Amino acid sequence: MGDLSVDVELGRDGVWVLALRGDLGRHGARILDETLLGMLDHRPRLLVFDLSLLTSVRPDGLPVLLRLAFTAGELSVGCCLVGADQAEVTGPLEKTGWLDLFEVYQTVGDAVSARG
């Protein structure tokens, strides 16, 4: 499995788009944690996780999305997932009842427009 890279686009109006590429497993989860947790102090209005370029998602990588969703919620920051079906994230999150923590959209544009 490959590593995870996270490209962060700090958009206007406090909308941050995080494009995840590669493998979201335990190592990828650490990279995502390190990338984002310190940045949350800046209090974006909305986090959009673009999962459409993930090559794999393993069960040990999903908890990081939950941790980030809870932390964002505590800070009143919205959390959206884009491309979750492509990354095969929706099913596992739905089975565990965790999908309700996120709004799910087909595209980044849809997420930004809906939350605009």
Side-chain angles (χ1 to χ4, degrees):
M1 300 285 167
D3 287 337
L4 180 78
S5 68
V6 181
D7 295 325
V8 181
E9 179 184 330
L10 305 178
R12 62 177 201 254
D13 299 327
V15 176
W16 295 3
V17 178
L18 292 91
L20 282 58
R21 288 179 178 80
D23 174 46
L24 182 57
R26 184 181 2 207
H27 177 70
R30 273 195 312 273
I31 290 170
L32 185 56
D33 259 342
E34 291 168 6
T35 300
L36 190 59
L37 285 178
M39 296 173 68
L40 281 174
D41 290 337
H42 299 288
R43 297 287 201 298
R45 180 176 61 82
L46 176 64
L47 297 174
V48 179
F49 293 95
D50 184 353
L51 310 179
S52 61
L53 296 175
L54 287 176
T55 54
S56 63
V57 178
R58 291 183 279 144
D60 57 354
L62 287 177
V64 70
L65 291 176
L66 301 175
R67 228 177 5 265
L68 293 172
F70 280 117
T71 302
E74 290 172 353
L75 298 172
S76 298
V77 174
C79 250
C80 299
L81 299 180
V82 170
D85 286 335
Q86 291 166 280
E88 299 180 7
V89 171
T90 306
L93 289 177
E94 194 168 43
K95 286 179 187 172
T96 58
W98 296 335
L99 189 59
D100 293 340
L101 296 173
F102 303 93
E103 294 180 39
V104 180
Y105 297 95
Q106 293 297 314
T107 69
V108 170
D110 291 343
V112 172
S113 294
R115 296 294 308 254

